Amino acid sequence: MKLSSEDIVEMIKKKLPDAKIHIEDLRGDKDHYHATIESKKFKGLSKVQQHKIVYDAIGHHMGTTLHALMLTTKEQ
Amino acid sequence: MADLKKKISDLISSDDVVLFMKGTPDFPQCGFSANVIGILNYFGVKFSSINVLEDNEIREGIKEFSDWPTIPQIYIKKEFVGGCDILREMAETGEIIQLLEKNNLPYKITDQAP
């Protein structure tokens, strides 16, 4: 079962309740998304640490139900 | 399990710049791996690559090793730098040059489009 944009936003919001999220289904196949995420929690973290928070929120879906999630993270 | 960890850390320390990818630099098997190859070539960075499609143990083991769920993964002087998104961002901001210089690694901006 593929993930919808709403599913992904919901999962991210669980870990980053304050996040402003813009999500695009890059190919319209619900398998290649690009998410731009702004959150206070990213402050002072490296890009790797920021992206790890998001991957952690997506959990086991990453690389299985969801093939690709391109990330752009910004400190707020 | 311990020998897989050793096998992976040996691979990571086998060169200054090591890329775990799907396919090979000449025949990348995934767009994200191809993008990373394009960036490394654009900056004229010398690197070794490991085709995770040839070894499923490595393909899964590297994700656990770095606590990063996707391939490609790039390591500079044994340190995990990131995947395609982060490397592309570093190329756009020029941060990649600072990282290469900090590690005394040669680079030469070529005319190949990234």
Side-chain angles (χ1 to χ4, degrees), chain B residues 18-113:
Chain B
V18 177
L19 172 64
F20 291 79
M21 67 176 290
K22 291 178 183 172
T24 62
D26 295 331
F27 298 101
Q29 302 293 309
C30 115
F32 301 111
S33 292
N35 287 347
V36 168
I37 295 292
I39 292 167
L40 292 174
N41 287 342
Y42 178 75
F43 286 95
V45 176
K46 196 181 82 51
F47 64 95
S48 294
S49 69
I50 285 106
N51 181 0
V52 302
L53 299 179
E54 284 173 1
D55 185 332
N56 210 54
E57 235 191 4
I58 298 277
R59 178 177 184 171
E60 293 313 318
I62 192 68
K63 294 175 187 173
E64 215 170 292
F65 188 92
S66 55
D67 183 26
W68 188 264
T70 57
I71 301 287
Q73 294 186 18
I74 183 149
Y75 294 76
I76 294 183
K77 294 265 176 118
K78 295 188 264 187
E79 215 183 303
F80 178 60
V81 173
C84 180
D85 297 344
I86 288 175
L87 198 69
R88 194 186 60 253
E89 218 170 293
M90 290 173 74
E92 283 159 8
T93 62
E95 199 186 328
I96 188 171
I97 291 175
Q98 289 158 19
L99 184 61
L100 292 168
E101 285 175 348
K102 189 184 101 184
N103 286 287
N104 307 313
L105 292 173
Y107 65 91
K108 186 169 97 41
I109 296 185
T110 61
D111 52 9
Q112 287 173 335

Side-chain angles (χ1 to χ4, degrees), chain A residues 47-48 51-52 55 68 70-71, chain B residues 66-69 81 85 89:
Chain A
K47 281 293 168 190
V48 168
H51 288 206
K52 275 187 177 180
Y55 282 137
M70 287 174 66
L71 292 175
Chain B
S66 55
D67 183 26
W68 188 264
V81 173
D85 297 344
E89 218 170 293

